[in-house]
Amino acid sequence: IDEDNQSYLTDDEISNRVLKDAAWIISGMIYGFDVTYTPLDLSRNVDEYMKVTPVASIPWGDNKLEIIETWVSNGKFSLHVRYFLDNAQTTRLHLWDSNLFPDAEGIGVVSIFSGHQGRVESIKTGIKEALRNYLRKRTTNKPREITCRVLLTEPPYTILDAGGYKSRTNITIKFIEVIPYAYY
């Protein structure tokens, strides 16, 4: 059911939504995302802020992205999507193969009432939680702002659970700047 107008979606509409989400996720696995994150700090009256921007995107209609199989089982719609990397994309991925860039995992949860975009938002929240999980073990004080580039290391595992989209997100992180409060 379409959350916006409470009507049933056609197979083509479902396929288009899935392909758009797949293009966004696969773009994050090939090109990555630029992330700016300011953690919430109540004692300093600092609101949480996060911006996740794709570095580059697979264009709509790219013939290297295709749905190869769909099925319905136990009331659940499932599908397999495939994307063929070109040489430049493969080379780009190899540049991330370094122990200089740490890996992290986070679980993002967003209310189902956020609509279709909640799936993507839960992945973005998973990215935020992965950053927090990584830095919590390595910094004694909460940073003022984090600027980095992240790469999805695998497709996020997203399910509906307890009234929300829940995404387990694994990333590789290239930190650009971690600004502590001491600089202010």
Side-chain angles (χ1 to χ4, degrees):
I1 294 180
D2 185 2
E3 298 91 357
D4 298 327
N5 60 22
Q6 297 298 308
S7 64
Y8 286 96
L9 297 171
T10 66
D11 288 348
D12 285 343
E13 290 168 329
I14 292 170
S15 295
N16 284 340
R17 280 188 177 184
V18 169
L19 282 174
K20 285 179 185 175
D21 287 352
W24 186 84
I25 290 167
I26 294 169
S27 294
M29 294 174 69
I30 298 170
Y31 305 109
F33 302 107
D34 286 327
V35 177
T36 302
Y37 174 54
T38 301
L40 173 69
D41 193 323
L42 296 175
S43 65
R44 293 181 172 104
N45 286 331
V46 175
D47 291 331
E48 182 177 71
Y49 170 79
M50 182 157 168
K51 183 176 181 182
V52 177
T53 307
V55 172
S57 297
I58 295 170
W60 181 250
D62 187 332
N63 61 2
K64 295 184 295 183
L65 177 64
E66 60 184 17
I67 296 175
I68 57 171
E69 181 182 17
T70 64
W71 68 97
V72 177
S73 176
N74 298 326
K76 185 172 26 173
F77 177 77
S78 300
L79 64 136
H80 285 150
V81 177
R82 178 170 45 202
Y83 185 78
F84 295 96
L85 297 173
D86 61 30
N87 289 336
Q89 291 166 329
T90 302
T91 300
R92 181 179 198 92
L93 279 176
H94 288 303
L95 295 175
W96 282 87
D97 289 337
S98 170
N99 60 0
L100 296 175
F101 305 131
D103 294 327
E105 179 180 307
I107 296 176
V109 180
V110 174
S111 169
I112 195 166
F113 296 114
S114 59
H116 169 71
Q117 269 305 108
R119 288 185 287 203
V120 169
E121 291 304 315
S122 70
I123 296 167
K124 290 179 182 179
T125 303
I127 291 170
K128 174 185 76 174
E129 292 302 320
L131 288 171
R132 291 176 60 165
N133 292 341
Y134 179 81
L135 288 170
R136 231 182 240 132
K137 297 175 186 173
R138 288 157 184 84
T139 58
T140 55
N141 296 318
K142 187 185 302 187
R144 168 68 179 103
E145 184 176 80
I146 302 158
T147 307
C148 61
R149 180 166 286 175
V150 302
L151 185 77
L152 297 175
T153 56
E154 60 186 56
Y157 180 70
T158 303
I159 61 170
L160 277 173
D161 183 45
Y165 294 105
K166 185 175 185 179
S167 294
R168 182 177 44 87
T169 308
N170 293 293
I171 60 172
T172 297
I173 310 164
K174 178 183 177 185
F175 287 103
I176 297 168
E177 188 172 28
V178 178
I179 303 171
Y181 275 101
Y183 286 33
Y184 286 92

PDB file of all heavy atoms in Angstrom, residues 155-177:
ATOM      1  N   PRO A 155      25.362  -4.759   1.316  1.00  0.00           N
ATOM      2  CA  PRO A 155      23.997  -4.205   1.327  1.00  0.00           C
ATOM      3  C   PRO A 155      23.452  -4.207   2.748  1.00  0.00           C
ATOM      4  O   PRO A 155      23.574  -5.212   3.459  1.00  0.00           O
ATOM      5  CB  PRO A 155      23.201  -5.181   0.445  1.00  0.00           C
ATOM      6  CG  PRO A 155      24.204  -5.914  -0.361  1.00  0.00           C
ATOM      7  CD  PRO A 155      25.465  -5.950   0.457  1.00  0.00           C
ATOM      8  N   PRO A 156      22.884  -3.105   3.208  1.00  0.00           N
ATOM      9  CA  PRO A 156      22.289  -3.081   4.548  1.00  0.00           C
ATOM     10  C   PRO A 156      21.161  -4.105   4.640  1.00  0.00           C
ATOM     11  O   PRO A 156      20.420  -4.315   3.680  1.00  0.00           O
ATOM     12  CB  PRO A 156      21.743  -1.661   4.680  1.00  0.00           C
ATOM     13  CG  PRO A 156      22.513  -0.865   3.695  1.00  0.00           C
ATOM     14  CD  PRO A 156      22.809  -1.799   2.559  1.00  0.00           C
ATOM     15  N   TYR A 157      21.067  -4.738   5.783  1.00  0.00           N
ATOM     16  CA  TYR A 157      20.004  -5.711   6.037  1.00  0.00           C
ATOM     17  C   TYR A 157      18.860  -4.953   6.705  1.00  0.00           C
ATOM     18  O   TYR A 157      18.995  -4.503   7.843  1.00  0.00           O
ATOM     19  CB  TYR A 157      20.533  -6.833   6.925  1.00  0.00           C
ATOM     20  CG  TYR A 157      19.504  -7.887   7.243  1.00  0.00           C
ATOM     21  CD1 TYR A 157      19.054  -8.763   6.262  1.00  0.00           C
ATOM     22  CD2 TYR A 157      18.977  -7.999   8.525  1.00  0.00           C
ATOM     23  CE1 TYR A 157      18.106  -9.727   6.545  1.00  0.00           C
ATOM     24  CE2 TYR A 157      18.032  -8.960   8.816  1.00  0.00           C
ATOM     25  CZ  TYR A 157      17.596  -9.821   7.826  1.00  0.00           C
ATOM     26  OH  TYR A 157      16.649 -10.773   8.111  1.00  0.00           O
ATOM     27  N   THR A 158      17.760  -4.772   5.989  1.00  0.00           N
ATOM     28  CA  THR A 158      16.643  -3.977   6.481  1.00  0.00           C
ATOM     29  C   THR A 158      15.416  -4.860   6.654  1.00  0.00           C
ATOM     30  O   THR A 158      15.038  -5.596   5.740  1.00  0.00           O
ATOM     31  CB  THR A 158      16.325  -2.823   5.515  1.00  0.00           C
ATOM     32  OG1 THR A 158      17.495  -2.015   5.345  1.00  0.00           O
ATOM     33  CG2 THR A 158      15.204  -1.949   6.047  1.00  0.00           C
ATOM     34  N   ILE A 159      14.795  -4.744   7.836  1.00  0.00           N
ATOM     35  CA  ILE A 159      13.569  -5.480   8.128  1.00  0.00           C
ATOM     36  C   ILE A 159      12.563  -4.532   8.774  1.00  0.00           C
ATOM     37  O   ILE A 159      12.928  -3.445   9.229  1.00  0.00           O
ATOM     38  CB  ILE A 159      13.828  -6.680   9.073  1.00  0.00           C
ATOM     39  CG1 ILE A 159      14.389  -6.204  10.422  1.00  0.00           C
ATOM     40  CG2 ILE A 159      14.737  -7.696   8.423  1.00  0.00           C
ATOM     41  CD1 ILE A 159      14.455  -7.286  11.480  1.00  0.00           C
ATOM     42  N   LEU A 160      11.302  -4.952   8.797  1.00  0.00           N
ATOM     43  CA  LEU A 160      10.286  -4.274   9.591  1.00  0.00           C
ATOM     44  C   LEU A 160      10.259  -4.955  10.947  1.00  0.00           C
ATOM     45  O   LEU A 160      10.098  -6.174  11.031  1.00  0.00           O
ATOM     46  CB  LEU A 160       8.914  -4.394   8.934  1.00  0.00           C
ATOM     47  CG  LEU A 160       8.610  -3.404   7.834  1.00  0.00           C
ATOM     48  CD1 LEU A 160       7.291  -3.739   7.170  1.00  0.00           C
ATOM     49  CD2 LEU A 160       8.586  -1.999   8.363  1.00  0.00           C
ATOM     50  N   ASP A 161      10.432  -4.171  12.017  1.00  0.00           N
ATOM     51  CA  ASP A 161      10.486  -4.748  13.348  1.00  0.00           C
ATOM     52  C   ASP A 161       9.919  -3.762  14.347  1.00  0.00           C
ATOM     53  O   ASP A 161      10.357  -2.604  14.402  1.00  0.00           O
ATOM     54  CB  ASP A 161      11.937  -5.095  13.705  1.00  0.00           C
ATOM     55  CG  ASP A 161      12.072  -5.771  15.053  1.00  0.00           C
ATOM     56  OD1 ASP A 161      11.273  -6.682  15.348  1.00  0.00           O
ATOM     57  OD2 ASP A 161      12.989  -5.390  15.809  1.00  0.00           O
ATOM     58  N   ALA A 162       8.936  -4.193  15.117  1.00  0.00           N
ATOM     59  CA  ALA A 162       8.363  -3.395  16.210  1.00  0.00           C
ATOM     60  C   ALA A 162       7.942  -2.004  15.747  1.00  0.00           C
ATOM     61  O   ALA A 162       8.227  -1.004  16.395  1.00  0.00           O
ATOM     62  CB  ALA A 162       9.343  -3.304  17.370  1.00  0.00           C
ATOM     63  N   GLY A 163       7.276  -1.936  14.609  1.00  0.00           N
ATOM     64  CA  GLY A 163       6.746  -0.659  14.131  1.00  0.00           C
ATOM     65  C   GLY A 163       7.759   0.245  13.469  1.00  0.00           C
ATOM     66  O   GLY A 163       7.539   1.449  13.357  1.00  0.00           O
ATOM     67  N   GLY A 164       8.871  -0.316  13.016  1.00  0.00           N
ATOM     68  CA  GLY A 164       9.862   0.531  12.374  1.00  0.00           C
ATOM     69  C   GLY A 164      10.720  -0.226  11.387  1.00  0.00           C
ATOM     70  O   GLY A 164      10.756  -1.461  11.370  1.00  0.00           O
ATOM     71  N   TYR A 165      11.406   0.542  10.531  1.00  0.00           N
ATOM     72  CA  TYR A 165      12.418  -0.024   9.649  1.00  0.00           C
ATOM     73  C   TYR A 165      13.695  -0.137  10.467  1.00  0.00           C
ATOM     74  O   TYR A 165      14.121   0.826  11.103  1.00  0.00           O
ATOM     75  CB  TYR A 165      12.663   0.886   8.447  1.00  0.00           C
ATOM     76  CG  TYR A 165      11.487   1.000   7.516  1.00  0.00           C
ATOM     77  CD1 TYR A 165      10.702   2.146   7.504  1.00  0.00           C
ATOM     78  CD2 TYR A 165      11.156  -0.031   6.645  1.00  0.00           C
ATOM     79  CE1 TYR A 165       9.622   2.256   6.647  1.00  0.00           C
ATOM     80  CE2 TYR A 165      10.074   0.077   5.787  1.00  0.00           C
ATOM     81  CZ  TYR A 165       9.308   1.224   5.793  1.00  0.00           C
ATOM     82  OH  TYR A 165       8.246   1.322   4.954  1.00  0.00           O
ATOM     83  N   LYS A 166      14.309  -1.300  10.442  1.00  0.00           N
ATOM     84  CA  LYS A 166      15.533  -1.542  11.202  1.00  0.00           C
ATOM     85  C   LYS A 166      16.597  -2.018  10.225  1.00  0.00           C
ATOM     86  O   LYS A 166      16.415  -3.031   9.555  1.00  0.00           O
ATOM     87  CB  LYS A 166      15.262  -2.608  12.265  1.00  0.00           C
ATOM     88  CG  LYS A 166      16.385  -2.878  13.211  1.00  0.00           C
ATOM     89  CD  LYS A 166      15.915  -3.869  14.270  1.00  0.00           C
ATOM     90  CE  LYS A 166      16.951  -4.101  15.328  1.00  0.00           C
ATOM     91  NZ  LYS A 166      16.448  -5.057  16.338  1.00  0.00           N
ATOM     92  N   SER A 167      17.699  -1.263  10.129  1.00  0.00           N
ATOM     93  CA  SER A 167      18.752  -1.568   9.161  1.00  0.00           C
ATOM     94  C   SER A 167      20.091  -1.791   9.861  1.00  0.00           C
ATOM     95  O   SER A 167      20.573  -0.912  10.576  1.00  0.00           O
ATOM     96  CB  SER A 167      18.915  -0.430   8.152  1.00  0.00           C
ATOM     97  OG  SER A 167      17.776  -0.321   7.350  1.00  0.00           O
ATOM     98  N   ARG A 168      20.672  -2.958   9.623  1.00  0.00           N
ATOM     99  CA  ARG A 168      22.039  -3.227  10.071  1.00  0.00           C
ATOM    100  C   ARG A 168      22.951  -2.756   8.956  1.00  0.00           C
ATOM    101  O   ARG A 168      22.884  -3.240   7.826  1.00  0.00           O
ATOM    102  CB  ARG A 168      22.250  -4.714  10.352  1.00  0.00           C
ATOM    103  CG  ARG A 168      23.659  -5.018  10.862  1.00  0.00           C
ATOM    104  CD  ARG A 168      23.847  -6.482  11.211  1.00  0.00           C
ATOM    105  NE  ARG A 168      23.288  -7.401  10.236  1.00  0.00           N
ATOM    106  CZ  ARG A 168      23.938  -7.850   9.154  1.00  0.00           C
ATOM    107  NH1 ARG A 168      25.152  -7.433   8.893  1.00  0.00           N
ATOM    108  NH2 ARG A 168      23.354  -8.707   8.349  1.00  0.00           N
ATOM    109  N   THR A 169      23.804  -1.793   9.263  1.00  0.00           N
ATOM    110  CA  THR A 169      24.617  -1.119   8.259  1.00  0.00           C
ATOM    111  C   THR A 169      26.095  -1.265   8.587  1.00  0.00           C
ATOM    112  O   THR A 169      26.530  -0.915   9.682  1.00  0.00           O
ATOM    113  CB  THR A 169      24.228   0.379   8.206  1.00  0.00           C
ATOM    114  OG1 THR A 169      22.814   0.485   8.051  1.00  0.00           O
ATOM    115  CG2 THR A 169      24.909   1.091   7.066  1.00  0.00           C
ATOM    116  N   ASN A 170      26.870  -1.782   7.638  1.00  0.00           N
ATOM    117  CA  ASN A 170      28.321  -1.927   7.787  1.00  0.00           C
ATOM    118  C   ASN A 170      29.016  -0.941   6.856  1.00  0.00           C
ATOM    119  O   ASN A 170      28.663  -0.864   5.672  1.00  0.00           O
ATOM    120  CB  ASN A 170      28.750  -3.353   7.451  1.00  0.00           C
ATOM    121  CG  ASN A 170      28.223  -4.343   8.459  1.00  0.00           C
ATOM    122  OD1 ASN A 170      28.633  -4.327   9.614  1.00  0.00           O
ATOM    123  ND2 ASN A 170      27.308  -5.189   8.045  1.00  0.00           N
ATOM    124  N   ILE A 171      29.981  -0.217   7.411  1.00  0.00           N
ATOM    125  CA  ILE A 171      30.661   0.820   6.635  1.00  0.00           C
ATOM    126  C   ILE A 171      32.172   0.736   6.832  1.00  0.00           C
ATOM    127  O   ILE A 171      32.669   0.187   7.810  1.00  0.00           O
ATOM    128  CB  ILE A 171      30.178   2.238   7.030  1.00  0.00           C
ATOM    129  CG1 ILE A 171      30.455   2.530   8.514  1.00  0.00           C
ATOM    130  CG2 ILE A 171      28.719   2.434   6.680  1.00  0.00           C
ATOM    131  CD1 ILE A 171      30.178   3.966   8.940  1.00  0.00           C
ATOM    132  N   THR A 172      32.886   1.320   5.869  1.00  0.00           N
ATOM    133  CA  THR A 172      34.303   1.636   5.994  1.00  0.00           C
ATOM    134  C   THR A 172      34.373   3.157   6.051  1.00  0.00           C
ATOM    135  O   THR A 172      33.669   3.848   5.310  1.00  0.00           O
ATOM    136  CB  THR A 172      35.108   1.092   4.799  1.00  0.00           C
ATOM    137  OG1 THR A 172      35.005  -0.332   4.802  1.00  0.00           O
ATOM    138  CG2 THR A 172      36.564   1.484   4.879  1.00  0.00           C
ATOM    139  N   ILE A 173      35.224   3.680   6.929  1.00  0.00           N
ATOM    140  CA  ILE A 173      35.243   5.116   7.209  1.00  0.00           C
ATOM    141  C   ILE A 173      36.573   5.735   6.805  1.00  0.00           C
ATOM    142  O   ILE A 173      37.642   5.230   7.164  1.00  0.00           O
ATOM    143  CB  ILE A 173      35.036   5.396   8.711  1.00  0.00           C
ATOM    144  CG1 ILE A 173      33.824   4.635   9.252  1.00  0.00           C
ATOM    145  CG2 ILE A 173      34.903   6.898   8.965  1.00  0.00           C
ATOM    146  CD1 ILE A 173      33.774   4.549  10.761  1.00  0.00           C
ATOM    147  N   LYS A 174      36.495   6.851   6.083  1.00  0.00           N
ATOM    148  CA  LYS A 174      37.676   7.674   5.820  1.00  0.00           C
ATOM    149  C   LYS A 174      37.413   9.009   6.510  1.00  0.00           C
ATOM    150  O   LYS A 174      36.656   9.847   6.015  1.00  0.00           O
ATOM    151  CB  LYS A 174      37.873   7.887   4.318  1.00  0.00           C
ATOM    152  CG  LYS A 174      39.051   8.778   3.995  1.00  0.00           C
ATOM    153  CD  LYS A 174      39.171   9.016   2.509  1.00  0.00           C
ATOM    154  CE  LYS A 174      40.297   9.968   2.212  1.00  0.00           C
ATOM    155  NZ  LYS A 174      40.352  10.316   0.784  1.00  0.00           N
ATOM    156  N   PHE A 175      38.010   9.172   7.691  1.00  0.00           N
ATOM    157  CA  PHE A 175      37.798  10.411   8.444  1.00  0.00           C
ATOM    158  C   PHE A 175      38.509  11.568   7.762  1.00  0.00           C
ATOM    159  O   PHE A 175      39.663  11.457   7.359  1.00  0.00           O
ATOM    160  CB  PHE A 175      38.307  10.280   9.888  1.00  0.00           C
ATOM    161  CG  PHE A 175      37.422   9.426  10.746  1.00  0.00           C
ATOM    162  CD1 PHE A 175      37.780   8.132  11.050  1.00  0.00           C
ATOM    163  CD2 PHE A 175      36.221   9.915  11.229  1.00  0.00           C
ATOM    164  CE1 PHE A 175      36.967   7.333  11.840  1.00  0.00           C
ATOM    165  CE2 PHE A 175      35.395   9.134  12.008  1.00  0.00           C
ATOM    166  CZ  PHE A 175      35.765   7.835  12.311  1.00  0.00           C
ATOM    167  N   ILE A 176      37.818  12.669   7.642  1.00  0.00           N
ATOM    168  CA  ILE A 176      38.403  13.888   7.107  1.00  0.00           C
ATOM    169  C   ILE A 176      38.771  14.807   8.264  1.00  0.00           C
ATOM    170  O   ILE A 176      39.875  15.341   8.325  1.00  0.00           O
ATOM    171  CB  ILE A 176      37.437  14.573   6.117  1.00  0.00           C
ATOM    172  CG1 ILE A 176      37.205  13.635   4.921  1.00  0.00           C
ATOM    173  CG2 ILE A 176      37.955  15.947   5.683  1.00  0.00           C
ATOM    174  CD1 ILE A 176      36.079  14.025   4.011  1.00  0.00           C
ATOM    175  N   GLU A 177      37.830  14.945   9.215  1.00  0.00           N
ATOM    176  CA  GLU A 177      38.092  15.795  10.377  1.00  0.00           C
ATOM    177  C   GLU A 177      37.170  15.396  11.518  1.00  0.00           C
ATOM    178  O   GLU A 177      35.983  15.170  11.311  1.00  0.00           O
ATOM    179  CB  GLU A 177      37.869  17.266  10.005  1.00  0.00           C
ATOM    180  CG  GLU A 177      38.283  18.244  11.051  1.00  0.00           C
ATOM    181  CD  GLU A 177      38.215  19.684  10.560  1.00  0.00           C
ATOM    182  OE1 GLU A 177      37.399  19.978   9.680  1.00  0.00           O
ATOM    183  OE2 GLU A 177      38.975  20.502  11.086  1.00  0.00           O
TER     184      GLU A 177
END
